[in-house]
Amino acid sequence: MTAYPISDLDAHWRAANYLAVGQIYLMDNPLLVEPLRPEHIKPRLLGHWGTSPGLNLVHTHLNRVIKERSLDALCVWGPGHGGPAVLANSWLEGTYTETYPGITRDVTGMATLFRQFSFPGGVPSHVAPETPGSIHEGGELGYSLAHAYGAAFDHPGLLVACVIGDGEAETGPLAASWHANKFLDPVHDGAVLPILHLNGYKIANPTVLARIPETELDALLRGYGHDPLYVSGSDPAQVHHAMARAMDQALDRIALIQQEARTAGTDPGREYARWPVIVLRTPKGWTGPATVDGNPVEGTWRAHQVPLARVREDPAHLKQLEDWLRSYRPQELFDAEGRPTAQVLACVPEGEHRLGAVPYAHGGRLLRPLPLPAFDLHAVPVDKPGCTLHEPTRVLGGFLTQIMRDTAERRDFRVVGPDETASNRLDDLYGATGKAWQAMTEDTDRNLSRDGRVMEILSEHVCQGWLEGYLLTGRHGLFSTYEAFAHIVDSMVGQHIKWLKTSRELSWRAPIASLNYLLTSHVWRQDNNGFSHQDPGFVDHVLNKSPEVVRVYLPPDANTLLAVADHALRSRDQVNVIVAGKQPCFDWLPIDEARTHVTRGAGIWEWAGTDHGSREPDVVLACAGDVPTMEVLAAAALLREHLPSLAVRVVNVVDIARLMPHEEHPHGLTNPQYDALFTVDRPVIFAYHGYPWLIHRLAYRRTGHPNLHVRGYKESGTTTTPFDMVVRNDMDRYQLVMDVIDRVPGLAGRAEGLRQAMADQRIRHHDWIREHGTDLPEVADWAWPY
């Protein structure tokens, strides 16, 4: 342990605090070379001061240990609304100027740094993609610790510090993330150092962890498997000493854990490591105004955002702001040209060891293409459409298993999910890797492994956070979950999509691997779980987001699923949602045709229709999804049998964004392409996997939209037979035939007998399942007859 350069640490910390305050308030006079005047102050005061001095303290002390120990480290800033602090430190260490050469590290650059913050045409008040060294959007709380562990997985030389605000610590995702230390392998993974920052308050209320007795807090953290180290106080010199000691003790402990594990190997009898955690307790708004207008501010909720709100209008507030800024003694911190002094920079690391420049925080620089096997080697044979059945996700499992084998040495591919890998038919993966697990094991356990790369925890939030952190630091992965419960991460995926959209606009952020979802156990085949597990609306949520980022695929069989998965795993800077069943499903396309069909995204299945040659179709039967495809093809077969003169076109849609105008989505069809596929004046009966109004919303501007009739899920569900689900939602083959009869001009009169027969079949179905408990034999045993 070295002697701490407390004066140097304090100088850096004061400089960062000064810059943080300046960003919130100033648009001119950055070095206070003249008394502050109202015109020096921004007209709109935005930002969060309360957490900033604590974040600055952490950044300052991380600088010291990184430099002294030559560490590769990044930091996840949980209180990301403390953007002024992280931006200030990036500017001090020089990475901000390297990233944005126009914002120089002098008085001119300081003025620009101040003015751009929360200003039109500038940067957000939160830590964001625009912030060098960041992998964590600060706009929403709860995800920092999961992101930190995701970053540490398979990076054995990396330290990931994670500052957790005490407001954030009250969220469900963060509470579940404390369990991630049972999944961190000290042999193959890096280390996570959580720093729980207790400044006592949220926006307007005290925080739970800051108010419970310290003995209770200590018991909680030890119960989570951590060894806590405590730093508290309001005297800067005392806090600097305590923080420096705690940082050294934590890093010594981490080094010992890793050394012992890497020397001993992965001994299955070894207890999981008890990693350190630092509890930092400092006042909210520390070093800011003690009181404003007679009300206490420092150390209270009033310090959360802008402590002095009327600086332009109230001379007393203006004077108080100037005194506050001068209390940091800026003349000691910056020279006459506004450059940080040597003392301020004494503890700052160099090159890529700086927190703003560490390559792990810019994962696209580290990303290597996956060694994807030829997916046709995993294809199922299809000699004739609709005669054989396979479980699509089980077929996909073989493809993923080969990827897992081929990345065994490089360790940059993981599959995450909430305890459903086997349930979702992906258990072939266990032939290539186990399930990550560091806690106690018992004889009845299966497939647990300390170095496993399948990640299962029954928290969708943690799974999502792990994978995001993994991808953002330069690796690849897949999130497999039940379709209905993808909604649990609606907000998280929304934040990630926003991150990717912004990152695409920053030339210095290289593309990262896409976030890939496999949604299975879907709405139409919830034979055991019923209504609570029936919700196909995640795709609606995703398709509301940035079109350049989002993609939704509904492969109708095993071979198209393989082709879609190959495409998704090759893609960059996207969120790909793949919806596919795990139950036996008809095989429709040989692998070469599947590849072509996925490339097109939507196409006519000529073998299924009767509109051959130059004849215009009388009706278009369209489908998207595996069960809708089966029902459409069964309806097409009925029409061919009973109305052979009717020209039927069958269109299958794999890439749902193809329905959108090309001007609105890069995968959208042009109007001539859409019209050629669906016609401009013929009825289109569309069987869709999810909520039917989504199709109307995507296609409402198309010429033929008045002719579009969509069947899909309409919240009619229960525990019942597979076919009864489609009957309940009026998407069954018999209803589709009735829809054709009702909508093709002139057909109703001459096909009334067929319509009545279809209605009778629905009644017969109703009675049959209640007597026999199974679907009608002609449904259960159906296969494509042509």
Side-chain angles (χ1 to χ4, degrees):
M1 189 161 19
T2 63
Y4 310 124
I6 296 302
S7 59
D8 294 351
L9 293 170
D10 189 64
H12 183 277
W13 179 60
R14 285 187 286 121
N17 286 339
Y18 180 86
L19 295 171
V21 179
Q23 289 175 80
I24 294 172
Y25 285 98
L26 300 184
M27 57 188 294
D28 201 359
N29 193 19
L31 283 179
L32 303 180
V33 295
E34 58 178 305
L36 277 183
R37 299 195 305 271
E39 56 267 31
H40 298 152
I41 308 302
K42 294 178 180 179
R44 296 172 67 244
L45 299 179
L46 302 170
H48 293 77
W49 163 246
T51 191
S52 291
L55 298 185
N56 285 332
L57 183 86
V58 171
H59 205 300
T60 295
H61 283 263
L62 281 172
N63 279 345
R64 178 188 70 84
V65 295
I66 291 169
K67 185 172 184 178
E68 288 184 356
R69 297 171 182 244
S70 191
L71 296 176
D72 288 327
L74 65 82
C75 188
V76 175
W77 306 98
H81 50 276
V86 184
L87 291 171
N89 283 281
S90 177
W91 186 84
L92 283 174
E93 70 184 19
T95 56
Y96 208 74
T97 299
E98 292 167 13
T99 306
Y100 304 104
I103 305 179
T104 49
R105 199 160 47 155
D106 54 22
V107 66
T108 302
M110 187 187 298
T112 307
L113 178 76
F114 288 179
R115 186 182 182 91
Q116 68 161 7
F117 179 80
S118 287
F119 204 81
V123 298
S125 65
H126 296 170
V127 177
E130 294 93 337
T131 309
S134 61
I135 67 163
H136 177 79
E137 171 63 59
E140 188 166 350
L141 302 179
Y143 315 138
S144 60
L145 195 54
H147 283 159
Y149 277 97
F153 293 142
D154 293 327
H155 278 324
L158 182 64
L159 170 71
V160 185
C162 179
V163 185
I164 302 159
D166 46 359
E168 178 180 28
E170 296 177 5
T171 65
L174 197 288
S177 295
W178 288 111
H179 295 301
N181 56 7
K182 286 79 173 176
F183 299 84
L184 189 77
D185 176 15
V187 176
H188 296 95
D189 299 333
V192 174
L193 176 59
I195 302 171
L196 178 60
H197 185 208
L198 304 179
N199 63 27
Y201 293 90
K202 305 184 285 284
I203 295 175
N205 286 287
T207 55
V208 172
L209 295 187
R211 289 293 181 90
I212 62 176
E214 191 156 291
T215 53
E216 185 177 339
L217 176 64
D218 188 78
L220 177 68
L221 295 173
R222 292 185 186 278
Y224 280 135
H226 283 287
D227 282 335
L229 298 163
Y230 292 91
V231 178
S232 62
S234 59
D235 175 69
Q238 178 264 322
V239 173
H240 280 308
H241 279 290
M243 188 65 174
R245 284 194 301 270
M247 291 291 290
D248 279 336
Q249 290 171 9
L251 294 181
D252 289 344
R253 172 69 175 148
I254 287 170
L256 181 61
I257 291 170
Q258 292 178 332
Q259 180 185 5
E260 290 181 346
R262 293 170 188 181
T263 301
T266 54
D267 174 13
R270 175 173 54 84
E271 267 193 42
Y272 69 88
R274 298 187 63 84
W275 300 92
V277 58
I278 293 176
V279 180
L280 173 63
R281 198 185 294 265
T282 58
K284 194 175 185 79
W286 189 21
T287 72
T291 62
V292 176
D293 298 332
N295 295 313
V297 174
E298 183 185 24
T300 77
W301 52 270
R302 292 187 180 91
H304 183 70
Q305 291 182 316
V306 180
L308 296 161
R310 301 193 313 277
V311 184
R312 286 173 68 101
E313 300 83 17
D314 188 330
H317 279 207
L318 183 64
K319 176 63 166 61
Q320 200 169 2
L321 172 62
E322 183 169 352
D323 292 344
W324 176 13
L325 284 164
R326 292 191 186 279
S327 73
Y328 297 118
R329 307 191 299 280
Q331 69 279 3
E332 300 176 6
L333 309 173
F334 308 98
D335 65 18
E337 284 73 42
R339 296 187 295 260
T341 65
Q343 185 181 36
V344 167
L345 301 181
C347 292
V348 174
E350 296 180 355
E352 292 188 343
H353 289 290
R354 293 170 297 170
L355 286 172
V358 58
Y360 300 96
H362 305 93
R365 301 180 194 171
L366 304 177
L367 185 67
R368 295 177 291 175
L370 271 179
L372 292 174
F375 62 85
D376 55 347
L377 298 178
H378 299 270
V380 300
V382 182
D383 297 325
K384 185 172 178 287
C387 292
T388 57
L389 299 100
H390 285 86
E391 298 166 318
T393 58
R394 191 175 299 283
V395 174
L396 176 65
F399 178 65
L400 298 176
T401 298
Q402 189 59 51
I403 299 172
M404 197 67 80
R405 288 195 183 102
D406 292 343
T407 55
E409 295 299 321
R410 45 189 274 176
R411 294 184 66 90
D412 60 352
F413 177 70
R414 293 204 178 205
V415 173
V416 304
D419 191 33
E420 295 160 359
T421 304
S423 174
N424 289 336
R425 311 294 197 266
L426 301 178
D427 43 320
D428 278 358
L429 282 164
Y430 301 141
T433 187
K435 293 180 283 189
W437 186 253
Q438 298 292 317
M440 182 179 68
T441 59
E442 297 183 355
D443 292 341
T444 52
D445 294 328
R446 292 293 180 270
N447 302 312
L448 300 182
S449 171
R450 294 195 181 276
D451 62 352
R453 286 184 289 139
V454 172
M455 310 289 296
E456 291 194 323
I457 187 173
L458 199 52
S459 166
E460 285 83 356
H461 288 118
V462 175
C463 290
Q464 174 85 15
W466 280 348
L467 186 54
E468 287 182 0
Y470 199 68
L471 299 175
L472 285 161
T473 49
R475 281 77 60 77
H476 305 260
L478 178 81
F479 186 169
S480 165
T481 186
Y482 286 7
E483 179 186 51
F485 301 118
H487 274 302
I488 293 171
V489 297
D490 273 0
S491 188
M492 292 185 77
V493 67
Q495 293 290 327
H496 189 69
I497 291 168
K498 293 176 189 295
W499 178 282
L500 292 177
K501 180 182 186 299
T502 303
S503 294
R504 282 168 162 261
E505 299 164 1
L506 301 171
S507 60
W508 54 273
R509 280 205 181 266
I512 64 169
S514 297
L515 173 56
N516 301 307
Y517 291 96
L518 173 65
L519 307 187
T520 187
S521 299
H522 61 53
V523 58
W524 301 109
R525 293 302 307 268
Q526 280 297 331
D527 307 358
N528 296 319
N529 296 309
F531 196 30
S532 65
H533 285 52
Q534 293 163 355
D535 188 334
F538 186 71
V539 299
D540 301 60
H541 171 70
V542 168
L543 284 171
N544 282 327
K545 305 301 179 182
S546 305
E548 63 269 39
V549 176
V550 299
R551 305 286 186 269
V552 174
Y553 301 99
L554 294 105
D557 69 356
N559 284 342
T560 52
L561 175 57
L562 285 173
V564 165
D566 179 83
H567 172 78
L569 289 168
R570 293 179 190 277
S571 67
R572 300 289 182 265
D573 277 350
Q574 292 176 358
V575 170
N576 298 306
V577 180
I578 306 169
V579 185
K582 68 181 185 183
Q583 303 291 351
C585 169
F586 279 113
D587 306 315
W588 302 111
L589 301 179
I591 191 61
D592 289 341
E593 292 182 26
R595 179 189 288 107
T596 302
H597 185 51
V598 168
T599 302
R600 282 194 305 253
I604 299 170
W605 283 5
E606 294 187 1
W607 54 267
T610 54
D611 64 325
H612 305 307
S614 60
R615 183 179 180 186
E616 281 289 310
D618 297 311
V619 64
V620 176
L621 289 180
C623 47
D626 51 7
V627 169
T629 297
M630 180 174 67
E631 292 306 305
V632 158
L633 290 174
L638 287 168
L639 291 169
R640 184 181 295 195
E641 177 185 357
H642 296 287
L643 297 172
S645 64
L646 188 71
V648 178
R649 174 178 294 177
V650 174
V651 174
N652 183 266
V653 179
V654 178
D655 179 352
I656 205 70
R658 296 292 275 166
L659 301 176
M660 299 174 70
H662 183 69
E663 297 79 10
E664 301 296 329
H665 194 286
H667 281 203
L669 294 169
T670 65
N671 283 331
Q673 289 172 329
Y674 182 93
D675 294 344
L677 200 58
F678 292 99
T679 77
V680 296
D681 58 357
R682 304 305 165 97
V684 177
I685 314 299
F686 200 128
Y688 171 56
H689 173 86
Y691 294 108
W693 35 89
L694 175 67
I695 302 301
H696 284 290
R697 180 165 68 84
L698 299 181
Y700 82 98
R701 291 166 58 183
R702 301 296 193 178
T703 303
H705 181 254
N707 306 314
L708 179 62
H709 177 64
V710 186
R711 294 291 186 179
Y713 183 68
K714 53 185 185 181
E715 288 293 310
S716 181
T718 185
T719 302
T720 188
T721 69
F723 189 65
D724 191 50
M725 276 298 300
V726 292
V727 173
R728 282 174 167 271
N729 290 276
D730 294 324
M731 198 185 71
D732 60 282
R733 59 198 67 180
Y734 305 125
Q735 181 62 57
L736 295 176
V737 170
M738 293 161 64
D739 288 338
V740 170
I741 294 169
D742 291 345
R743 284 169 172 77
V744 173
L747 194 57
R750 60 189 177 91
E752 180 55 33
L754 176 60
R755 191 187 195 288
Q756 180 174 309
M758 298 295 100
D760 290 347
Q761 277 290 84
R762 286 166 57 88
I763 295 171
R764 179 168 169 253
H765 154 81
H766 178 275
D767 297 338
W768 179 275
I769 64 170
R770 280 156 180 79
E771 179 179 354
H772 299 279
T774 59
D775 284 324
L776 290 165
E778 57 264 49
V779 170
D781 301 331
W782 182 86
W784 178 248
Y786 297 101

